[in-house]
Amino acid sequence: METDTTKGKLVDYRNLVNARRVAAGDDRWIDSYDPYRGEPWARVPRCTSADVDAAVAAAKAAFRSGPWRGLTPTDRGKLLVRLAGLIEANAERLGQLETRDNGKLIAEMGAQTRYLAEWYRYFGGLADKIEGSVLPMDKPSNFTFTRHEALGVVAMITAWNSPLLLLSWKLAAALAAGNTAVIKPSEHASVSTLEFVALFEEAGFPPGVVNTVTGFGPEAGSALASHPDVAKVAFTGGDFTGQKIYEAGAPTLKHVSLELGGKSPNIVFDDANLDAAVAGAVSGIFAATGQTCIAGSRLLVQRTVHDRVLDKLIAIAATAKMGNPAESTTQIGPVTTRAQHARILEMIAAAKAEGARCVLGGGVPSDPALGAGWFVQPTIFSGVVNTMRVAREEIFGPVLSVIAFDTEEEAIAIANDSVYGLASGIWTGDIGRALRVSSAMESGTVWVNTYRAVSFMAPFGGYKRSGIGRESGQESIYEFLQTKTVWIETNLSTANPFALR
Ligand code: TXE
């Protein structure tokens, strides 16, 4: 790709602004680390507010004038569908880049990257189906209708755990709605995004519609989140950063949507298929090394089956193969950053100090072959009480807290006793219980007898500190639109000009 130029042994990746590849104005760079080897492998520009100004100006110009503005919604949709085909053709390469940059398993990335295409197809199809309405009017001489219009420049600030997936949840809907975009990926894993945006050029999107700025959160991120020409910020990340983004948008009253963290309860009742429940619990917390916002990090187990569930859980988790994420047989890879590694180990130490019983893992693996990478053993604590830090704070790593309960009411109370509300899981063979408990859950997603399922068709987002707004599904396109009401008087008159009409 034209973005690659090898400098020393690191590969340099540049931003896309107005269809040009650019470094930061002052030519500073950030090293991007390979978490398996614990060493830098690439560099991305360290942008400042001046670079952000240039990217926002390009997006603003593309929104205000030029070919994008003139496209019909059908034509916008066609571009998105064309892009979907290019994503499929490049899925393997993009998946490999993400694995190198953030340590996600290649075993998961192949399918995940191909699946991205569906967001662009779905929203491409939706682009020309956004209809306003003619309003039935209480003022008979007025003809009044609504139309849904794009907001303008949308800033998309994303996290490192699934850069392209989290971006696509925003970008497909935003572009279908007619907005333009400035993307700031995480400083820890920007490379896949910089490669990905080349496909927009190839698909034929006009210059300036999709732009990127890489850099640190408090530098480039904060300049973007507070930029006066940004109409909306769509963010994925931690809740405290989400709060800062909300505050940064307040002075200019931006639209803001926030997809934040969680401390999701996964509840196993004694009438459940326990093997399926245990497989769901493993996938909920150990897939992606626990680095997902939807991690089922609190496993609530009915006391009557508690010991059986725990034994089965340990039996599976203990055999999970840790190793090079680029190998297809690896089941647990490294965590993405050195800081995250340290934080997970600190939370494990805190859980031990608070009296939780560590029944599996609890540290770094002893295998010397894994020595250079940022690995944490799959870790299970039993005897956890919901007031412990390990049950309250998002850890974002492979650490499971098992909490025993006796009754359905108690399970609901513990599950909802959290500042977060992103997702929950319920394992039961009783349909009445499934419906009762799912309606009682304070979370944006509830999975019954499954876990970690997402789709371009299904709205996703949080209750409470897990976020504001929804991504995916038809309704999410309205997060990127605003409604205009047009009034036409059909009977010109000279009614009293000093009174409300
Ligand atoms: O995320 P941040 P970090 C949680 C997880 C993790 C914690 C911190 O618990 O341990 O957050 O991770 C940009 N203005 N999640 O520090 O800070 C930043 O550059 C504007 C949950 O990596 O939230 C990056 O692009 N932008 C989560 C993005 O925000 C700022 C996924 C996310 O970074 C900024 C990731 C600022 N002041 C972490 N500060 C999930 N919901 O899945 C940072 N950024």
Side-chain angles (χ1 to χ4, degrees), residues 157-161 184-188 216-218 221-222 235-238 241 244-245 259-261 293 340 394 396:
I157 302 179
T158 55
W160 37 262
N161 50 325
K184 199 211 82 65
S186 167
E187 55 272 39
H188 302 301
F216 292 116
S222 143
F235 171 76
T236 300
T241 306
K244 282 190 198 153
I245 302 256
E259 201 270 275
L260 309 176
C293 51
Q340 193 60 26
E394 183 175 48
F396 227 61

PDB file of all heavy atoms in Angstrom, residues 157-161 184-188 216-218 221-222 235-238 241 244-245 259-261 293 340 394 396, ligand 1:
ATOM      1  N   ILE A 157     -14.207   8.430  17.656  1.00  0.00           N
ATOM      2  CA  ILE A 157     -13.042   8.146  18.498  1.00  0.00           C
ATOM      3  C   ILE A 157     -13.196   6.721  19.008  1.00  0.00           C
ATOM      4  O   ILE A 157     -14.202   6.396  19.644  1.00  0.00           O
ATOM      5  CB  ILE A 157     -12.949   9.165  19.659  1.00  0.00           C
ATOM      6  CG1 ILE A 157     -12.862  10.586  19.097  1.00  0.00           C
ATOM      7  CG2 ILE A 157     -11.752   8.851  20.553  1.00  0.00           C
ATOM      8  CD1 ILE A 157     -12.781  11.693  20.132  1.00  0.00           C
ATOM      9  N   THR A 158     -12.220   5.883  18.693  1.00  0.00           N
ATOM     10  CA  THR A 158     -12.412   4.446  18.952  1.00  0.00           C
ATOM     11  C   THR A 158     -11.315   3.875  19.852  1.00  0.00           C
ATOM     12  O   THR A 158     -10.282   4.501  20.071  1.00  0.00           O
ATOM     13  CB  THR A 158     -12.449   3.662  17.626  1.00  0.00           C
ATOM     14  OG1 THR A 158     -11.269   3.960  16.891  1.00  0.00           O
ATOM     15  CG2 THR A 158     -13.671   4.032  16.805  1.00  0.00           C
ATOM     16  N   ALA A 159     -11.571   2.668  20.322  1.00  0.00           N
ATOM     17  CA  ALA A 159     -10.683   1.992  21.274  1.00  0.00           C
ATOM     18  C   ALA A 159      -9.825   0.952  20.553  1.00  0.00           C
ATOM     19  O   ALA A 159     -10.004   0.695  19.366  1.00  0.00           O
ATOM     20  CB  ALA A 159     -11.528   1.328  22.354  1.00  0.00           C
ATOM     21  N   TRP A 160      -8.920   0.322  21.325  1.00  0.00           N
ATOM     22  CA  TRP A 160      -7.933  -0.558  20.710  1.00  0.00           C
ATOM     23  C   TRP A 160      -8.372  -1.998  20.608  1.00  0.00           C
ATOM     24  O   TRP A 160      -7.743  -2.803  19.938  1.00  0.00           O
ATOM     25  CB  TRP A 160      -6.616  -0.502  21.490  1.00  0.00           C
ATOM     26  CG  TRP A 160      -6.769  -0.380  22.975  1.00  0.00           C
ATOM     27  CD1 TRP A 160      -6.680   0.786  23.687  1.00  0.00           C
ATOM     28  CD2 TRP A 160      -7.059  -1.398  23.931  1.00  0.00           C
ATOM     29  NE1 TRP A 160      -6.896   0.545  25.025  1.00  0.00           N
ATOM     30  CE2 TRP A 160      -7.126  -0.790  25.201  1.00  0.00           C
ATOM     31  CE3 TRP A 160      -7.260  -2.774  23.848  1.00  0.00           C
ATOM     32  CZ2 TRP A 160      -7.387  -1.489  26.376  1.00  0.00           C
ATOM     33  CZ3 TRP A 160      -7.531  -3.480  25.015  1.00  0.00           C
ATOM     34  CH2 TRP A 160      -7.595  -2.854  26.257  1.00  0.00           C
ATOM     35  N   ASN A 161      -9.451  -2.362  21.306  1.00  0.00           N
ATOM     36  CA  ASN A 161      -9.732  -3.800  21.411  1.00  0.00           C
ATOM     37  C   ASN A 161     -10.274  -4.406  20.122  1.00  0.00           C
ATOM     38  O   ASN A 161      -9.978  -5.547  19.802  1.00  0.00           O
ATOM     39  CB  ASN A 161     -10.636  -4.091  22.605  1.00  0.00           C
ATOM     40  CG  ASN A 161     -11.868  -3.218  22.652  1.00  0.00           C
ATOM     41  OD1 ASN A 161     -11.808  -2.065  22.269  1.00  0.00           O
ATOM     42  ND2 ASN A 161     -12.970  -3.750  23.104  1.00  0.00           N
ATOM     43  N   LYS A 184     -10.531   9.139  14.809  1.00  0.00           N
ATOM     44  CA  LYS A 184      -9.312   9.030  15.624  1.00  0.00           C
ATOM     45  C   LYS A 184      -9.276   7.661  16.291  1.00  0.00           C
ATOM     46  O   LYS A 184      -9.959   7.406  17.273  1.00  0.00           O
ATOM     47  CB  LYS A 184      -9.226  10.125  16.707  1.00  0.00           C
ATOM     48  CG  LYS A 184      -7.777  10.255  17.179  1.00  0.00           C
ATOM     49  CD  LYS A 184      -7.570  10.672  18.588  1.00  0.00           C
ATOM     50  CE  LYS A 184      -7.665   9.616  19.629  1.00  0.00           C
ATOM     51  NZ  LYS A 184      -6.647   8.541  19.603  1.00  0.00           N
ATOM     52  N   PRO A 185      -8.455   6.769  15.741  1.00  0.00           N
ATOM     53  CA  PRO A 185      -8.334   5.453  16.377  1.00  0.00           C
ATOM     54  C   PRO A 185      -7.479   5.555  17.635  1.00  0.00           C
ATOM     55  O   PRO A 185      -6.821   6.566  17.869  1.00  0.00           O
ATOM     56  CB  PRO A 185      -7.639   4.616  15.298  1.00  0.00           C
ATOM     57  CG  PRO A 185      -6.896   5.596  14.463  1.00  0.00           C
ATOM     58  CD  PRO A 185      -7.604   6.919  14.559  1.00  0.00           C
ATOM     59  N   SER A 186      -7.475   4.481  18.410  1.00  0.00           N
ATOM     60  CA  SER A 186      -6.659   4.481  19.626  1.00  0.00           C
ATOM     61  C   SER A 186      -5.174   4.535  19.276  1.00  0.00           C
ATOM     62  O   SER A 186      -4.724   3.884  18.331  1.00  0.00           O
ATOM     63  CB  SER A 186      -6.947   3.228  20.435  1.00  0.00           C
ATOM     64  OG  SER A 186      -5.959   3.072  21.431  1.00  0.00           O
ATOM     65  N   GLU A 187      -4.424   5.264  20.079  1.00  0.00           N
ATOM     66  CA  GLU A 187      -2.974   5.348  19.881  1.00  0.00           C
ATOM     67  C   GLU A 187      -2.306   3.979  20.033  1.00  0.00           C
ATOM     68  O   GLU A 187      -1.187   3.770  19.592  1.00  0.00           O
ATOM     69  CB  GLU A 187      -2.343   6.342  20.874  1.00  0.00           C
ATOM     70  CG  GLU A 187      -2.625   6.078  22.358  1.00  0.00           C
ATOM     71  CD  GLU A 187      -3.916   6.741  22.847  1.00  0.00           C
ATOM     72  OE1 GLU A 187      -4.908   6.746  22.088  1.00  0.00           O
ATOM     73  OE2 GLU A 187      -3.925   7.239  23.979  1.00  0.00           O
ATOM     74  N   HIS A 188      -3.016   3.026  20.665  1.00  0.00           N
ATOM     75  CA  HIS A 188      -2.433   1.695  20.883  1.00  0.00           C
ATOM     76  C   HIS A 188      -2.623   0.772  19.682  1.00  0.00           C
ATOM     77  O   HIS A 188      -1.976  -0.268  19.606  1.00  0.00           O
ATOM     78  CB  HIS A 188      -3.062   1.031  22.112  1.00  0.00           C
ATOM     79  CG  HIS A 188      -2.897   1.841  23.359  1.00  0.00           C
ATOM     80  ND1 HIS A 188      -1.667   2.195  23.846  1.00  0.00           N
ATOM     81  CD2 HIS A 188      -3.806   2.386  24.205  1.00  0.00           C
ATOM     82  CE1 HIS A 188      -1.822   2.917  24.946  1.00  0.00           C
ATOM     83  NE2 HIS A 188      -3.107   3.049  25.180  1.00  0.00           N
ATOM     84  N   PHE A 216      -2.559  10.860  20.593  1.00  0.00           N
ATOM     85  CA  PHE A 216      -2.954  10.569  21.972  1.00  0.00           C
ATOM     86  C   PHE A 216      -4.305  11.196  22.285  1.00  0.00           C
ATOM     87  O   PHE A 216      -4.677  12.231  21.716  1.00  0.00           O
ATOM     88  CB  PHE A 216      -1.884  11.093  22.939  1.00  0.00           C
ATOM     89  CG  PHE A 216      -0.586  10.332  22.845  1.00  0.00           C
ATOM     90  CD1 PHE A 216       0.575  10.956  22.415  1.00  0.00           C
ATOM     91  CD2 PHE A 216      -0.539   8.982  23.190  1.00  0.00           C
ATOM     92  CE1 PHE A 216       1.773  10.251  22.327  1.00  0.00           C
ATOM     93  CE2 PHE A 216       0.650   8.263  23.106  1.00  0.00           C
ATOM     94  CZ  PHE A 216       1.803   8.902  22.673  1.00  0.00           C
ATOM     95  N   GLY A 217      -4.995  10.568  23.241  1.00  0.00           N
ATOM     96  CA  GLY A 217      -6.321  11.049  23.631  1.00  0.00           C
ATOM     97  C   GLY A 217      -6.338  12.490  24.099  1.00  0.00           C
ATOM     98  O   GLY A 217      -7.077  13.321  23.553  1.00  0.00           O
ATOM     99  N   PRO A 218      -5.527  12.831  25.097  1.00  0.00           N
ATOM    100  CA  PRO A 218      -5.588  14.212  25.610  1.00  0.00           C
ATOM    101  C   PRO A 218      -5.077  15.248  24.615  1.00  0.00           C
ATOM    102  O   PRO A 218      -5.261  16.451  24.817  1.00  0.00           O
ATOM    103  CB  PRO A 218      -4.675  14.161  26.851  1.00  0.00           C
ATOM    104  CG  PRO A 218      -4.579  12.709  27.208  1.00  0.00           C
ATOM    105  CD  PRO A 218      -4.684  11.963  25.912  1.00  0.00           C
ATOM    106  N   GLY A 221      -7.220  13.599  20.481  1.00  0.00           N
ATOM    107  CA  GLY A 221      -8.601  13.208  20.812  1.00  0.00           C
ATOM    108  C   GLY A 221      -9.375  14.363  21.397  1.00  0.00           C
ATOM    109  O   GLY A 221     -10.505  14.658  20.979  1.00  0.00           O
ATOM    110  N   SER A 222      -8.764  15.041  22.333  1.00  0.00           N
ATOM    111  CA  SER A 222      -9.472  16.130  23.002  1.00  0.00           C
ATOM    112  C   SER A 222      -9.689  17.311  22.037  1.00  0.00           C
ATOM    113  O   SER A 222     -10.754  17.953  22.053  1.00  0.00           O
ATOM    114  CB  SER A 222      -8.665  16.468  24.247  1.00  0.00           C
ATOM    115  OG  SER A 222      -8.652  17.768  24.507  1.00  0.00           O
ATOM    116  N   PHE A 235     -18.286   7.797  20.197  1.00  0.00           N
ATOM    117  CA  PHE A 235     -17.111   7.344  20.945  1.00  0.00           C
ATOM    118  C   PHE A 235     -17.274   5.917  21.444  1.00  0.00           C
ATOM    119  O   PHE A 235     -18.360   5.529  21.869  1.00  0.00           O
ATOM    120  CB  PHE A 235     -16.913   8.281  22.150  1.00  0.00           C
ATOM    121  CG  PHE A 235     -15.865   7.831  23.130  1.00  0.00           C
ATOM    122  CD1 PHE A 235     -14.515   7.974  22.842  1.00  0.00           C
ATOM    123  CD2 PHE A 235     -16.226   7.252  24.345  1.00  0.00           C
ATOM    124  CE1 PHE A 235     -13.544   7.546  23.746  1.00  0.00           C
ATOM    125  CE2 PHE A 235     -15.254   6.832  25.259  1.00  0.00           C
ATOM    126  CZ  PHE A 235     -13.915   6.978  24.962  1.00  0.00           C
ATOM    127  N   THR A 236     -16.197   5.148  21.434  1.00  0.00           N
ATOM    128  CA  THR A 236     -16.129   3.881  22.169  1.00  0.00           C
ATOM    129  C   THR A 236     -14.881   3.889  23.020  1.00  0.00           C
ATOM    130  O   THR A 236     -13.781   4.167  22.525  1.00  0.00           O
ATOM    131  CB  THR A 236     -16.050   2.670  21.220  1.00  0.00           C
ATOM    132  OG1 THR A 236     -17.204   2.655  20.391  1.00  0.00           O
ATOM    133  CG2 THR A 236     -16.027   1.359  22.015  1.00  0.00           C
ATOM    134  N   GLY A 237     -15.049   3.585  24.301  1.00  0.00           N
ATOM    135  CA  GLY A 237     -13.890   3.540  25.189  1.00  0.00           C
ATOM    136  C   GLY A 237     -14.342   3.400  26.626  1.00  0.00           C
ATOM    137  O   GLY A 237     -15.475   2.983  26.896  1.00  0.00           O
ATOM    138  N   GLY A 238     -13.465   3.780  27.535  1.00  0.00           N
ATOM    139  CA  GLY A 238     -13.778   3.664  28.958  1.00  0.00           C
ATOM    140  C   GLY A 238     -14.766   4.737  29.407  1.00  0.00           C
ATOM    141  O   GLY A 238     -14.901   5.783  28.772  1.00  0.00           O
ATOM    142  N   THR A 241     -13.279   8.313  30.228  1.00  0.00           N
ATOM    143  CA  THR A 241     -12.969   9.082  29.009  1.00  0.00           C
ATOM    144  C   THR A 241     -14.275   9.509  28.343  1.00  0.00           C
ATOM    145  O   THR A 241     -14.375  10.638  27.844  1.00  0.00           O
ATOM    146  CB  THR A 241     -12.098   8.250  28.045  1.00  0.00           C
ATOM    147  OG1 THR A 241     -10.955   7.808  28.749  1.00  0.00           O
ATOM    148  CG2 THR A 241     -11.662   9.064  26.851  1.00  0.00           C
ATOM    149  N   LYS A 244     -15.390  12.616  29.825  1.00  0.00           N
ATOM    150  CA  LYS A 244     -14.606  13.777  29.349  1.00  0.00           C
ATOM    151  C   LYS A 244     -15.082  14.222  27.963  1.00  0.00           C
ATOM    152  O   LYS A 244     -15.136  15.413  27.654  1.00  0.00           O
ATOM    153  CB  LYS A 244     -13.121  13.418  29.264  1.00  0.00           C
ATOM    154  CG  LYS A 244     -12.431  13.426  30.595  1.00  0.00           C
ATOM    155  CD  LYS A 244     -10.920  13.293  30.379  1.00  0.00           C
ATOM    156  CE  LYS A 244     -10.254  12.859  31.672  1.00  0.00           C
ATOM    157  NZ  LYS A 244      -9.020  12.130  31.464  1.00  0.00           N
ATOM    158  N   ILE A 245     -15.403  13.248  27.114  1.00  0.00           N
ATOM    159  CA  ILE A 245     -15.859  13.575  25.757  1.00  0.00           C
ATOM    160  C   ILE A 245     -17.202  14.328  25.836  1.00  0.00           C
ATOM    161  O   ILE A 245     -17.436  15.292  25.105  1.00  0.00           O
ATOM    162  CB  ILE A 245     -16.048  12.278  24.950  1.00  0.00           C
ATOM    163  CG1 ILE A 245     -14.754  11.492  24.904  1.00  0.00           C
ATOM    164  CG2 ILE A 245     -16.701  12.520  23.597  1.00  0.00           C
ATOM    165  CD1 ILE A 245     -13.970  11.517  23.669  1.00  0.00           C
ATOM    166  N   GLU A 259     -20.308   4.590  23.650  1.00  0.00           N
ATOM    167  CA  GLU A 259     -20.386   3.137  23.865  1.00  0.00           C
ATOM    168  C   GLU A 259     -19.267   2.808  24.830  1.00  0.00           C
ATOM    169  O   GLU A 259     -18.091   2.839  24.468  1.00  0.00           O
ATOM    170  CB  GLU A 259     -20.218   2.428  22.507  1.00  0.00           C
ATOM    171  CG  GLU A 259     -20.764   1.018  22.511  1.00  0.00           C
ATOM    172  CD  GLU A 259     -19.721   0.000  22.913  1.00  0.00           C
ATOM    173  OE1 GLU A 259     -18.956  -0.440  22.049  1.00  0.00           O
ATOM    174  OE2 GLU A 259     -19.682  -0.338  24.119  1.00  0.00           O
ATOM    175  N   LEU A 260     -19.651   2.560  26.097  1.00  0.00           N
ATOM    176  CA  LEU A 260     -18.641   2.501  27.157  1.00  0.00           C
ATOM    177  C   LEU A 260     -18.493   1.092  27.720  1.00  0.00           C
ATOM    178  O   LEU A 260     -18.891   0.130  27.084  1.00  0.00           O
ATOM    179  CB  LEU A 260     -19.009   3.520  28.239  1.00  0.00           C
ATOM    180  CG  LEU A 260     -19.283   4.935  27.687  1.00  0.00           C
ATOM    181  CD1 LEU A 260     -19.731   5.880  28.777  1.00  0.00           C
ATOM    182  CD2 LEU A 260     -18.052   5.493  26.975  1.00  0.00           C
ATOM    183  N   GLY A 261     -17.922   1.002  28.866  1.00  0.00           N
ATOM    184  CA  GLY A 261     -17.567  -0.308  29.395  1.00  0.00           C
ATOM    185  C   GLY A 261     -18.718  -1.011  30.088  1.00  0.00           C
ATOM    186  O   GLY A 261     -19.868  -0.610  29.989  1.00  0.00           O
ATOM    187  N   CYS A 293     -15.988  -4.950  25.724  1.00  0.00           N
ATOM    188  CA  CYS A 293     -16.892  -4.191  26.584  1.00  0.00           C
ATOM    189  C   CYS A 293     -17.993  -5.094  27.124  1.00  0.00           C
ATOM    190  O   CYS A 293     -18.524  -4.852  28.189  1.00  0.00           O
ATOM    191  CB  CYS A 293     -17.470  -3.009  25.817  1.00  0.00           C
ATOM    192  SG  CYS A 293     -18.171  -3.468  24.242  1.00  0.00           S
ATOM    193  N   GLN A 340      -2.326  -1.964  30.419  1.00  0.00           N
ATOM    194  CA  GLN A 340      -3.477  -2.824  30.682  1.00  0.00           C
ATOM    195  C   GLN A 340      -3.024  -4.087  31.431  1.00  0.00           C
ATOM    196  O   GLN A 340      -3.695  -4.553  32.355  1.00  0.00           O
ATOM    197  CB  GLN A 340      -4.126  -3.173  29.341  1.00  0.00           C
ATOM    198  CG  GLN A 340      -5.488  -3.794  29.435  1.00  0.00           C
ATOM    199  CD  GLN A 340      -6.516  -2.898  30.120  1.00  0.00           C
ATOM    200  OE1 GLN A 340      -6.380  -1.671  30.113  1.00  0.00           O
ATOM    201  NE2 GLN A 340      -7.495  -3.514  30.734  1.00  0.00           N
ATOM    202  N   GLU A 394     -14.542  -2.416  35.996  1.00  0.00           N
ATOM    203  CA  GLU A 394     -14.230  -3.096  34.740  1.00  0.00           C
ATOM    204  C   GLU A 394     -12.735  -3.418  34.727  1.00  0.00           C
ATOM    205  O   GLU A 394     -11.911  -2.552  34.973  1.00  0.00           O
ATOM    206  CB  GLU A 394     -14.574  -2.199  33.545  1.00  0.00           C
ATOM    207  CG  GLU A 394     -14.332  -2.906  32.237  1.00  0.00           C
ATOM    208  CD  GLU A 394     -14.778  -2.100  31.020  1.00  0.00           C
ATOM    209  OE1 GLU A 394     -14.440  -0.910  30.941  1.00  0.00           O
ATOM    210  OE2 GLU A 394     -15.461  -2.677  30.156  1.00  0.00           O
ATOM    211  N   PHE A 396     -11.266  -5.540  32.116  1.00  0.00           N
ATOM    212  CA  PHE A 396     -10.843  -5.599  30.718  1.00  0.00           C
ATOM    213  C   PHE A 396      -9.677  -6.564  30.540  1.00  0.00           C
ATOM    214  O   PHE A 396      -8.650  -6.256  29.933  1.00  0.00           O
ATOM    215  CB  PHE A 396     -10.479  -4.207  30.198  1.00  0.00           C
ATOM    216  CG  PHE A 396     -11.096  -3.906  28.859  1.00  0.00           C
ATOM    217  CD1 PHE A 396     -12.465  -3.890  28.704  1.00  0.00           C
ATOM    218  CD2 PHE A 396     -10.309  -3.651  27.745  1.00  0.00           C
ATOM    219  CE1 PHE A 396     -13.049  -3.630  27.477  1.00  0.00           C
ATOM    220  CE2 PHE A 396     -10.873  -3.387  26.512  1.00  0.00           C
ATOM    221  CZ  PHE A 396     -12.239  -3.369  26.375  1.00  0.00           C
TER     222      PHE A 396
HETATM  223  O1  TXE B   1      -9.427   3.772  26.848  1.00  0.00           O
HETATM  224  P1  TXE B   1      -9.862   5.252  26.560  1.00  0.00           P
HETATM  225  P2  TXE B   1      -8.039   3.203  27.316  1.00  0.00           P
HETATM  226  C1  TXE B   1     -11.998   0.588  29.218  1.00  0.00           C
HETATM  227  C2  TXE B   1     -11.191  -0.518  29.850  1.00  0.00           C
HETATM  228  C3  TXE B   1      -9.820   0.034  29.866  1.00  0.00           C
HETATM  229  C4  TXE B   1     -10.083   1.492  30.098  1.00  0.00           C
HETATM  230  C5  TXE B   1      -8.987   2.402  29.631  1.00  0.00           C
HETATM  231  O2  TXE B   1     -11.649  -0.742  31.163  1.00  0.00           O
HETATM  232  O3  TXE B   1      -9.056  -0.493  30.910  1.00  0.00           O
HETATM  233  O4  TXE B   1     -11.255   1.759  29.368  1.00  0.00           O
HETATM  234  O5  TXE B   1      -8.588   2.069  28.304  1.00  0.00           O
HETATM  235  C6  TXE B   1      -9.246   8.424  23.277  1.00  0.00           C
HETATM  236  N1  TXE B   1     -10.411  13.197  24.713  1.00  0.00           N
HETATM  237  N2  TXE B   1     -12.244   0.367  27.827  1.00  0.00           N
HETATM  238  O6  TXE B   1      -7.245   4.151  28.122  1.00  0.00           O
HETATM  239  O7  TXE B   1      -9.042   6.232  27.321  1.00  0.00           O
HETATM  240  C7  TXE B   1      -8.103   7.467  23.144  1.00  0.00           C
HETATM  241  O8  TXE B   1      -7.013   8.064  22.464  1.00  0.00           O
HETATM  242  C8  TXE B   1     -10.696  12.544  23.572  1.00  0.00           C
HETATM  243  C9  TXE B   1     -13.572  -0.094  27.488  1.00  0.00           C
HETATM  244  O9  TXE B   1      -7.407   2.667  26.116  1.00  0.00           O
HETATM  245  O10 TXE B   1     -11.304   5.265  26.775  1.00  0.00           O
HETATM  246  C10 TXE B   1      -8.755   6.337  22.372  1.00  0.00           C
HETATM  247  O11 TXE B   1      -8.817   6.651  20.989  1.00  0.00           O
HETATM  248  N3  TXE B   1     -10.313  11.289  23.340  1.00  0.00           N
HETATM  249  C11 TXE B   1     -13.834   0.002  26.046  1.00  0.00           C
HETATM  250  C12 TXE B   1     -10.165   6.314  22.945  1.00  0.00           C
HETATM  251  O12 TXE B   1     -10.361   7.586  23.539  1.00  0.00           O
HETATM  252  C13 TXE B   1      -9.620  10.652  24.302  1.00  0.00           C
HETATM  253  C14 TXE B   1     -12.739  -0.183  25.102  1.00  0.00           C
HETATM  254  C15 TXE B   1     -10.408   5.243  23.979  1.00  0.00           C
HETATM  255  O13 TXE B   1      -9.494   5.403  25.013  1.00  0.00           O
HETATM  256  C16 TXE B   1      -9.307  11.272  25.515  1.00  0.00           C
HETATM  257  C17 TXE B   1     -11.482   0.322  25.583  1.00  0.00           C
HETATM  258  C18 TXE B   1      -9.726  12.614  25.701  1.00  0.00           C
HETATM  259  N4  TXE B   1      -9.466  13.282  26.822  1.00  0.00           N
HETATM  260  C19 TXE B   1     -11.274   0.545  26.904  1.00  0.00           C
HETATM  261  N5  TXE B   1      -8.621  10.385  26.275  1.00  0.00           N
HETATM  262  C20 TXE B   1     -15.103  -0.585  25.503  1.00  0.00           C
HETATM  263  N6  TXE B   1     -16.223   0.110  25.668  1.00  0.00           N
HETATM  264  O14 TXE B   1     -15.085  -1.606  24.853  1.00  0.00           O
HETATM  265  C21 TXE B   1      -8.525   9.242  25.554  1.00  0.00           C
HETATM  266  N7  TXE B   1      -9.122   9.404  24.360  1.00  0.00           N
END
